[in-house]
Every structure is written in C-alpha cells, then in structure tokens.
C-alpha cells in the first residue's frame, strides 16, 4: 500500500514522530512507500521544509521494499 506522501501528511507525520520520540530532530527520515499518485516534488518540498526547519538532518527512501517486491512477485 502506498503511503500518503502529500506535503501536509509528511509534515504532520514528522511532527508526530518528533513528539513520540521526545526529540527536536530526526537524524534520518525515511519515506517507506512511494506513492505514484502524489508528485515527488510535493514530497520533496515537505522534506526540504523539514530540513530547513532543523527537524530532520537527512532523508532517504527505503529500498528494502524494492528487494522484497522482486522476491515475492
């Protein structure tokens, strides 16, 4: 299932993670499930804003999903 990687949801999810972890920033924020229905630019803009605000230091996409998809096709 593709995640809701919309701008608003990425921001909201990160804020919730920060609160749960009781920290001011996240070292590595990962996007687990790409969503082809949401333009990547929208997701990237949210990540840029989070980095600019000092809430994340780095961001990446979890490539483990791609390996599993190949195995279980």
């Amino acid at each position: 299932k593709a995640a809701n990687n919309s701008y608003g949801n990425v921001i909201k999810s990160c804020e919730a993670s920060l609160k749960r972890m009781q920290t001011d920033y996240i070292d590595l924020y990962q996007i687990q499930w790409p969503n082809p229905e949401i333009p990547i630019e929208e997701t990237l803009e949210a990540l840029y804003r989070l980095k600019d605000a000092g809430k994340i230091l780095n961001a990446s996409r979890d490539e483990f999903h791609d390996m599993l998809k190949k195995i279980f096709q």
Side-chain angles (χ1 to χ4, degrees):
K1 177 182 173 189
N4 180 355
N5 292 334
S6 67
Y7 178 89
N9 196 63
V10 170
I11 300 291
K12 185 172 124 179
S13 294
C14 182
E15 295 283 352
S17 294
L18 290 167
K19 185 176 180 179
R20 276 192 310 276
M21 294 187 293
Q22 299 178 6
T23 189
D24 297 327
Y25 67 91
I26 297 170
D27 290 319
L28 178 61
Y29 194 73
Q30 289 192 302
I31 300 296
Q32 301 293 328
W33 302 97
N35 189 333
E37 295 178 16
I38 296 174
I40 190 65
E41 294 83 8
E42 184 174 339
T43 304
L44 293 174
E45 179 64 22
L47 295 172
Y48 171 78
R49 296 289 175 187
L50 290 167
K51 182 164 175 44
D52 193 48
K55 295 182 179 187
I56 64 172
L57 300 182
N58 296 289
S60 76
R61 180 174 165 265
D62 181 9
E63 295 183 23
F64 187 64
H65 168 71
D66 291 340
M67 291 187 305
L68 289 176
K69 190 174 178 181
K70 289 177 185 177
I71 293 169
F72 291 105
Q73 278 185 342

